[in-house]
Amino acid sequence: MATESELLVIVGRALRKHRDRAGKSTNDPEACAIVGSSRSLKRVEQGVRTRVNFSQVGRLCDYYGAPAEVKYELERLWRLADAKIWAQPSHAIANSGWDSYLEFEQLALGLSQFQTMVPPGLCQTETFMRKLFERSGVARARIPILIEDRQARQSQFNARLKGIKYRVLLSEAVLRSGCDNEQHEKLLKFDAHPNVSIKYLPFEGAPYPMLDVPFSVLSFRDHRDPSIVYLESPYERRFYENSDAVGQYHQVFEAGDLRAKSLKEFHR
């Protein structure tokens, strides 16, 4: 269940975006010289394992005019292609504007999310987003941009829903902590999609073993075969690829899902 190909793919996608912005083609002489050939450049952008190293990835970033922070992240991720556990510091995301998780989300065929206090970003209303960002200490001028970005992410995900299996497991606290009627209705509307399941863990059924920290389990080749686990903290975003960790989180989610209730059963 290695994610090596996914890590290489998201770096390749980023390089392709910056090449396009720079107005260069895959036959550009300088870009081809950096990695050895046009074929190598195309393979890098496709996420195919090549002999290209992280310094060559950095040189491509420089040639395409990518920001230094993005260059650093792409070099770092290229070197992590064989790692089983790795992290992206929150300050690196803030500096570069490049979030590895969001890139993985765009590739996923299956996504299972457990939330303890807030609805998943993919299901939030604009009102909830605004309240969340305001209370997170974000500069007021940035809030409209963050909302626009999250809404664009939602639209991209919704456009892919026919090919994705999306499951959400919520603590009942999510439904009682700032989840107004508008937000509840949006969750119900999402749950009505044939490829979506949203359930909640009622207070009266607690405790739920090992279900105390939010996490996501992503699948890339088959939604039944999880490939990576994602956890988010204020300091960093951590990814687990090793099969033991992925398998355990998958089992924890499935155990919770069996004890959860349908969102339609929730009443205030």
Side-chain angles (χ1 to χ4, degrees):
M1 295 189 291
T3 60
E4 172 188 328
S5 61
E6 278 73 39
L7 263 178
L8 297 178
V9 165
I10 65 173
V11 174
R13 282 160 56 102
L15 288 172
R16 184 168 64 249
K17 288 178 184 177
H18 285 286
R19 176 178 57 75
D20 288 340
R21 289 173 185 169
K24 310 294 184 183
S25 73
T26 52
N27 293 317
D28 181 86
E30 183 63 25
C32 293
I34 290 172
V35 296
S37 67
S38 175
R39 180 174 182 272
S40 291
L41 183 59
K42 292 175 182 176
R43 287 168 66 84
V44 167
E45 292 187 358
Q46 292 166 356
V48 177
R49 170 67 76 179
T50 69
R51 293 184 178 181
V52 172
N53 58 43
F54 79 93
S55 65
Q56 290 169 294
V57 168
R59 288 167 60 196
L60 283 175
C61 289
D62 288 336
Y63 182 58
Y64 297 152
E69 297 85 358
V70 172
K71 170 187 172 180
Y72 173 82
E73 279 301 294
L74 296 187
E75 287 180 323
R76 192 175 70 86
L77 293 178
W78 192 264
R79 284 183 288 182
L80 286 170
D82 296 318
K84 301 300 182 184
I85 301 175
W86 55 281
Q88 185 178 25
S90 298
H91 67 81
I93 298 172
N95 290 337
S96 68
W98 200 77
D99 191 330
S100 297
Y101 171 77
L102 298 183
E103 296 293 327
F104 279 125
E105 189 177 84
Q106 292 181 35
L107 297 173
L109 298 178
L111 175 58
S112 300
Q113 294 186 310
F114 170 61
Q115 291 287 349
T116 58
M117 291 301 295
V118 298
L122 292 169
C123 307
Q124 292 172 4
T125 63
E126 180 177 342
T127 300
F128 190 93
M129 291 179 211
R130 187 175 301 278
K131 186 186 302 182
L132 182 63
F133 291 138
E134 287 175 349
R135 297 184 181 182
S136 298
V138 175
R140 188 167 295 275
R142 288 194 63 223
I143 291 177
I145 299 172
L146 293 173
I147 291 175
E148 184 178 348
D149 288 346
R150 184 158 294 184
Q151 288 177 329
R153 172 189 166 200
Q154 290 179 346
S155 296
Q156 291 173 355
F157 189 80
N158 292 343
R160 297 178 55 232
L161 260 183
K162 289 184 179 179
I164 303 172
K165 187 71 173 180
Y166 183 42
R167 300 193 300 168
V168 178
L169 192 59
L170 304 172
S171 164
E172 185 174 338
V174 174
L175 303 173
R176 298 191 181 278
S177 300
C179 184
D180 59 17
N181 290 335
E182 180 190 21
Q183 179 61 71
H184 188 229
E185 287 299 318
K186 181 158 187 174
L187 288 169
L188 285 170
K189 184 177 180 180
F190 228 96
D191 183 52
H193 192 284
N195 285 2
V196 177
S197 169
I198 301 180
K199 295 183 178 181
Y200 77 100
L201 294 165
F203 288 149
E204 65 266 22
Y208 300 99
M210 293 182 282
L211 284 168
D212 52 4
V213 176
F215 64 87
S216 298
V217 182
L218 299 95
S219 308
F220 300 104
R221 299 163 192 82
D222 187 318
H223 68 79
R224 295 164 297 187
D225 183 22
S227 302
I228 197 169
V229 170
Y230 168 78
L231 294 92
E232 183 175 327
S233 76
Y235 179 71
E236 67 180 10
R237 319 295 172 85
R238 184 162 290 272
F239 299 82
Y240 292 90
E241 175 195 343
N242 55 308
S243 58
D244 288 346
V246 173
Q248 183 168 357
Y249 275 95
H250 179 62
Q251 290 174 13
V252 168
F253 186 93
E254 295 299 333
D257 189 66
L258 288 174
R259 299 179 64 185
K261 290 186 176 182
S262 167
L263 186 62
K264 300 180 185 68
E265 298 180 58
F266 175 76
H267 300 287
R268 297 185 187 279

